[in-house]
Every structure is written in structure tokens, then in C-alpha cells.
Amino acid sequence: MQTIGERMPTSQSQKKEAIAQATEQELASLAGRGVRIAGNACSPIVLVKGDLDDAERAGGELAAGPDGAALRKALGAIGYAPEDFCVLASVAGAGDGAVAIGEDLPCELFREALEALDPEAVLLLDDRAADTMRETYADMLVAIDDFDTAMLKPGLVAHVQGRRVLALDGFEAALTDKAAKQRMWAYIKQLTPAAAPL
């Protein structure tokens, strides 16, 4: 029989459950403040989208159209599992009203969302998403020696807070142009999963 001063040992599953609950609460808090996330919040890669299509602006799921299908196919081709798909909007959705719907997320809120998701790779799908990342992580990007990489020039992988970050200059628009689509594919191939064989 345990005395009051003794503590019951915590099992590994209880720890995992506690972490999962904390993450769930954090994501619910973010959603309440207008942060839009779709997919697996535990994914090793997060796709950030700033230019939303009409369906997404109307509240539809992020990357549910042709862009999402193409991205799933591309990520699968470089070694990500089908469940490794998470999209974060860099613009606000419905929330507490602190940020108007469609406005860029404030830097602190965007950073909080990305840190909560804690991916090992970030794929910025358009210039608006890249602008938000650039502004939010300016303090870390200035430490990168190469100017183009520090400016998140499309196609260059930047290392930001232990994450690989790659900007694309308009993935959705590139789907209708064969040459642009090939360029996007060449860029994306640089973000193979960390555990993937070389």
C-alpha cells in the first residue's frame, strides 16, 4: 500500500498520452485563434500555404484540390508515408476575431503554430507563405551566410531552427505548366525524409 509521499511510477504509455493531450489542447487553442491546420499534426513535413483557392477561402479543407493530390503524390515519391501530410495556412481562418479572416497570421502566432507542429521539414508553397516565414524567422535567417538562401529564394534549402525549409514560388499555379511543374519536382526532391536512405 502506498503512503501519501510515494508517487506511482508513470508508464511510457501514460507519458505518450499526456503529450498527445497537451498537443491536442495546443492545436485547439491555435484553431480558436484562427490558425488553420489540415492533416496529420505529427507529420515530419509541414506544407505552408498562403494563397488560398476559392474553396479554401470559403472554409473548405486546405489542399483538398488538385494541388493537394499532386503534393501527396510528390511526397510519396520521395519517401514520405501517405499519412505524412500536414498543411498550415499562413493566413487566418475563422477564430476569435483577433486576426481577420484572410489576413496574414501575426509572426508570434505563426511561429507558435509551426513550433507546435514541430516538423523536421517545411515546404513553403507560395510567395505569401515564404513572406510570412521570412518575417517570422528573420532573427534566424540573418545568421545564414548565403544571401539567397537567407532570403528563402525558391529552390534553395535553408536550415532554420534545426529544420530544412524550402520555398516554392507558386506550386498550385505551376500545375498547369509542364516546365514549371518539372521545376517544382526538382525542388521538392531536396526534402526527402530525414530517415530516408541517401
Side-chain angles (χ1 to χ4, degrees):
M1 193 164 151
Q2 285 190 318
T3 61
I4 295 173
E6 290 177 13
R7 293 184 63 181
M8 288 186 67
T10 309
S11 73
Q12 201 60 29
S13 63
Q14 286 172 315
K15 285 179 186 170
K16 283 182 181 174
E17 182 64 29
I19 291 168
Q21 283 179 348
T23 302
E24 211 170 284
Q25 288 171 351
E26 192 168 11
L27 294 174
S29 166
L30 288 164
R33 290 177 282 155
V35 176
R36 294 182 64 189
I37 299 169
N40 178 4
C42 298
S43 174
I45 185 166
V46 168
L47 317 175
V48 182
K49 187 170 186 179
D51 295 330
L52 305 187
D53 63 28
D54 292 339
E56 292 164 332
R57 278 194 294 276
E61 188 175 330
L62 298 171
D67 63 331
L71 286 161
R72 286 176 191 276
K73 188 175 175 186
L75 294 178
I78 61 171
Y80 287 96
E83 64 273 13
D84 289 342
F85 192 78
C86 182
V87 187
L88 167 64
S90 65
V91 294
D96 60 10
V99 186
I101 294 173
E103 291 295 310
D104 291 331
L105 292 175
C107 291
E108 321 78 66
L109 191 53
F110 179 76
R111 187 186 290 244
E112 186 182 337
L114 200 55
E115 296 307 320
L117 295 169
D118 195 24
E120 70 90 18
V122 179
L123 187 60
L124 306 167
L125 300 179
D126 50 61
D127 291 337
R128 192 170 181 184
D131 287 345
T132 301
M133 185 78 183
R134 212 177 282 119
E135 193 180 335
T136 302
Y137 288 90
D139 55 334
M140 292 171 190
L141 290 167
V142 295
I144 298 173
D145 291 334
D146 181 68
F147 179 77
D148 288 338
T149 304
M151 291 305 293
L152 298 176
K153 183 178 175 186
L156 299 177
V157 177
H159 292 269
V160 181
Q161 201 156 341
R163 297 184 183 100
R164 294 174 297 152
V165 178
L166 174 67
L168 306 178
D169 48 353
F171 182 84
E172 197 165 9
L175 294 177
T176 56
D177 180 305
K178 191 177 179 189
K181 209 153 86 171
Q182 287 175 328
R183 183 170 46 83
M184 294 294 161
W185 171 236
Y187 290 169
I188 290 171
K189 282 195 286 191
Q190 299 177 86
L191 284 190
T192 53
L198 295 175

